[in-house]
Amino acid sequence: MRAQHLAAALALVLLACGAAGEDILIKGGTVVNADRQFQADVLIRGGLIARVGPNLQAERQGTRTLSAAGRLVMPGGIDPHTHLSMPFMGQVTCDDFFSGHAAALAGGTTMHVDFALPVDHDLLAGWDAWQRKAADGVMDYGFHMAVTSWSDKVAADMGTLTKMGVNSFKFFMAYKGALMVNDEQLLQALRRCKELGAVPQVHAENGDAVAEGQARVFAAGITGPEGHALSRPAALEGEATARAIRLAQFVGAPLYVVHVMSRDAAEEVARARQRGQRVVGETVASAIACDESSMWDADFTRAAAFVMSPPIRSKEHQAALQGALAGGLLQLVGTDHAVFNSSQKAAGRHDFRIIPNGVNGLEERLHVVWTELVASGKLAPTDFVRVTSTAAAHIFNVYPRKGLIAKGSDADVIIFDPALEHTLRAAAHHSALDTNIYEGYKARGKVLTTISRGRLVWHEGRLNITRGSGRFVPTPTHGPLYAGLDAVPEHSLFDVARYGGVPVRRAGDAPASGAARDEL
């Protein structure tokens, strides 16, 4: 029996060593962080960055040396918005945590935050289900939790989940009859997030109006994918974004608006931030690189591939979102990676309302953002790192462990060739998806090498991954969005000092018992 224990212990030691990876020395590159770029070598040891500086030498025998001359060395990407192994609209996304992670690593993303859904509105049951799904993963991941109903149990379970490492909760203002919460529920949820120091997130579309729009468009005989775009106009996204922002202001909570897809919503985020409100605007790769015209394609398979919610919009909205990122009005870029094969999308062949919503992007995001925003001159390389990695690390409170190349940070590193041109195709990607909305896209700049926790997982066009080697990364509460927020208590929203204070004493009122109340 003792021999068995020793063997088991040795196996654990070997597993730990393998998980940490080998010593790696990256020579001759330009290190790019969100704050600056500089010439330096990077030494990786034990899954962490050991040293960053000029003229570093290998300190131990067997160190692997990688040349980064003429290339950029950057933190691995963090995708804050994914849906792997997600049941939705009668289907299940075809990327699980193995294929999704493979795609991510080949595209330079080394951590993502996935949305766990409640099971029959039970948050803890949903947590357990997503833990099982993630067992096949091969890289670092965190979880948001969606909240689709409200009760004392839901509020209590949110507290339990924060102790388990979840610091963000998503509320759907769309998908009426399925995931949508009403304003009363959203108010209570925002208040609970504030109590917990958790980040409240909203999918902002007016669900009631969307339901009416879908019925009207379908009744008019428009049944194809173009009906999806027509039934969910930008005004409905803008209205819901404004409403969520004002409700968060009323409660005194921060707010994170997921997948901002329109000029309307981006302007609401910008106005709120101009007022000093703590609002984060996330857009996605498809919104800055694609336009709605593809949903009018004569090929149903291609048209349906672009169906997501809120919809991909016109080129005018695309340009506005790029400008908002360039001007800092939006803070980061995710993907909303939720992929359904062409056979799954075909369920809505004659009714756009049941085409499962979702597009790809985990593997393509860094290439698309670089091409659209850096190669075009809209963003500097440092800004690229901010919108694809560091901003997410800050918001979800894992910085400087993630999103930074510095001594002591996790060794999540990519080597990027900014000049290499390549074409994105479904035939070459690593997702389980049989289509790709970026089919034929000419990208400038390519991830050559991905290092995840010190492991060389993507190099020379090959993946080196082991099923089950993924790791859950807890996201602590009370992150930067809450720093100093307690100095602005909720009652300050009410001007209690106006006209002499409240409550007003009026003739005939009974004498006040005790001290007068001067706050709300």
Side-chain angles (χ1 to χ4, degrees):
M1 183 65 72
R2 184 178 180 185
Q4 290 176 330
H5 287 314
L6 288 173
L10 179 59
L12 288 173
V13 170
L14 291 173
L15 179 63
C17 291
E22 59 193 326
D23 282 18
I24 298 174
L25 177 60
I26 303 173
K27 294 283 294 180
T30 299
V31 172
V32 184
N33 282 321
D35 61 340
R36 67 186 182 116
Q37 63 184 66
F38 54 98
Q39 294 295 124
D41 303 332
V42 179
L43 178 64
I44 292 168
R45 175 176 298 155
L48 301 175
I49 296 173
R51 295 178 64 190
V52 180
N55 304 316
L56 299 184
Q57 302 298 319
E59 299 174 353
R60 298 200 298 196
Q61 189 174 5
T63 297
R64 181 193 290 260
T65 300
L66 302 176
S67 173
R71 293 159 181 167
L72 307 179
V73 181
M74 300 186 282
I78 301 173
D79 190 337
H81 191 150
T82 63
H83 299 279
L84 302 180
S85 294
M86 179 187 69
F88 187 55
M89 298 180 72
Q91 307 287 336
V92 177
T93 53
C94 64
D95 267 341
D96 59 15
F97 276 76
F98 182 76
S99 64
H101 283 185
L105 293 172
T109 288
T110 52
M111 181 179 172
H112 72 114
V113 191
D114 203 71
F115 285 94
L117 297 182
V119 174
D120 296 327
H121 303 295
D122 188 317
L123 274 60
L124 298 185
W127 165 262
D128 290 339
W130 256 258
Q131 289 289 320
R132 292 191 295 271
K133 295 172 192 283
D136 285 336
V138 302
M139 67 182 228
D140 286 357
Y141 59 90
F143 284 124
H144 313 287
M145 176 57 71
V147 176
T148 57
S149 65
W150 193 255
S151 67
D152 289 344
K153 182 181 186 308
V154 168
D157 288 348
M158 287 172 66
T160 300
L161 286 169
T162 61
K163 295 181 176 67
M164 295 178 177
V166 174
N167 78 350
S168 47
F169 297 91
K170 181 181 181 180
F171 309 97
F172 292 88
M173 302 171 76
Y175 302 118
K176 185 175 182 179
L179 303 173
M180 179 177 157
V181 297
N182 60 34
D183 285 359
E184 180 184 4
Q185 293 168 325
L186 181 56
L187 272 170
Q188 294 181 73
L190 288 167
R191 188 166 284 113
R192 179 59 171 153
C193 283
K194 184 182 179 183
E195 292 171 355
L196 295 171
V199 179
Q201 301 175 295
V202 288
H203 172 136
E205 287 182 287
N206 187 311
D208 292 315
V210 165
E212 179 182 329
Q214 288 179 318
R216 290 173 57 194
V217 169
F218 188 79
I222 303 169
T223 62
E226 68 278 10
H228 180 75
L230 294 170
S231 67
R232 308 173 88 107
L236 302 187
E237 184 187 353
E239 183 279 332
T241 302
R243 179 159 40 99
I245 287 171
R246 293 297 190 179
L247 293 179
Q249 182 184 33
F250 179 72
V251 171
L255 187 70
Y256 183 115
V257 183
V258 304
H259 51 40
V260 172
M261 303 295 289
S262 66
R263 180 202 306 269
D264 306 53
E267 288 175 348
E268 296 296 344
V269 171
R271 278 192 282 268
R273 290 174 64 84
Q274 188 177 35
R275 292 194 300 268
Q277 196 173 341
R278 297 192 184 185
V279 177
V280 171
E282 164 208 283
T283 191
V284 292
S286 56
I288 64 169
C290 304
D291 71 85
E292 65 186 2
S293 64
S294 295
M295 282 180 276
W296 273 258
D297 197 288
D299 181 342
F300 173 84
T301 296
R302 174 168 169 76
F306 286 80
V307 171
M308 65 174 292
S309 293
I312 296 168
R313 305 199 186 275
S314 68
K315 289 184 180 296
E316 290 75 19
H317 288 282
Q318 177 192 98
L321 294 173
Q322 290 190 10
L325 281 168
L329 305 178
L330 296 177
Q331 286 65 58
L332 70 170
V333 183
T335 60
D336 196 8
H337 183 93
V339 292
F340 299 93
N341 272 325
S342 57
S343 58
Q344 296 175 294
K345 293 268 190 176
R349 179 66 179 84
H350 302 292
D351 187 346
F352 69 84
R353 297 171 298 181
I354 56 176
I355 298 173
N357 290 192
V359 301
N360 60 293
L362 252 175
E363 187 166 350
E364 298 81 9
R365 179 178 66 118
L366 297 190
H367 299 130
V368 165
V369 174
W370 185 273
T371 303
E372 297 291 334
L373 296 175
V374 184
S376 67
K378 295 182 178 70
L379 288 184
T382 50
D383 295 321
F384 172 83
V385 170
R386 173 177 53 82
V387 301
T388 62
S389 182
T390 308
H394 276 293
I395 292 163
F396 298 108
N397 207 15
V398 292
Y399 183 89
R401 178 182 181 182
K402 303 287 187 183
L404 177 69
I405 292 182
K407 181 178 180 179
S409 295
D410 283 356
D412 295 341
V413 180
I414 63 172
I415 300 176
F416 188 86
D417 186 337
L420 188 59
E421 296 183 351
H422 59 114
T423 302
L424 304 182
R425 298 191 185 280
H429 71 207
H430 296 80
S431 166
L433 182 64
D434 64 353
T435 61
N436 191 319
I437 63 169
Y438 304 103
E439 187 70 33
Y441 182 94
K442 306 294 185 183
R444 182 176 175 187
K446 184 171 176 56
V447 175
L448 301 179
T449 300
T450 304
I451 299 168
S452 169
R453 301 193 331 249
R455 304 167 301 158
L456 190 63
V457 291
W458 170 254
H459 187 57
E460 296 180 341
R462 293 191 297 273
L463 281 168
N464 178 26
I465 54 178
T466 302
R467 188 182 295 269
S469 60
R471 177 180 65 175
F472 173 67
V473 176
T475 52
T477 58
H478 296 90
L481 281 175
Y482 278 93
L485 196 63
D486 54 356
V488 187
E490 185 175 348
H491 72 254
S492 69
L493 296 173
F494 303 94
D495 189 356
V496 297
R498 181 173 291 186
Y499 309 125
V502 292
V504 176
R505 310 303 179 196
R506 292 183 171 85
D509 286 350
S513 59
R517 186 163 55 93
D518 61 359
E519 75 278 337
L520 293 174

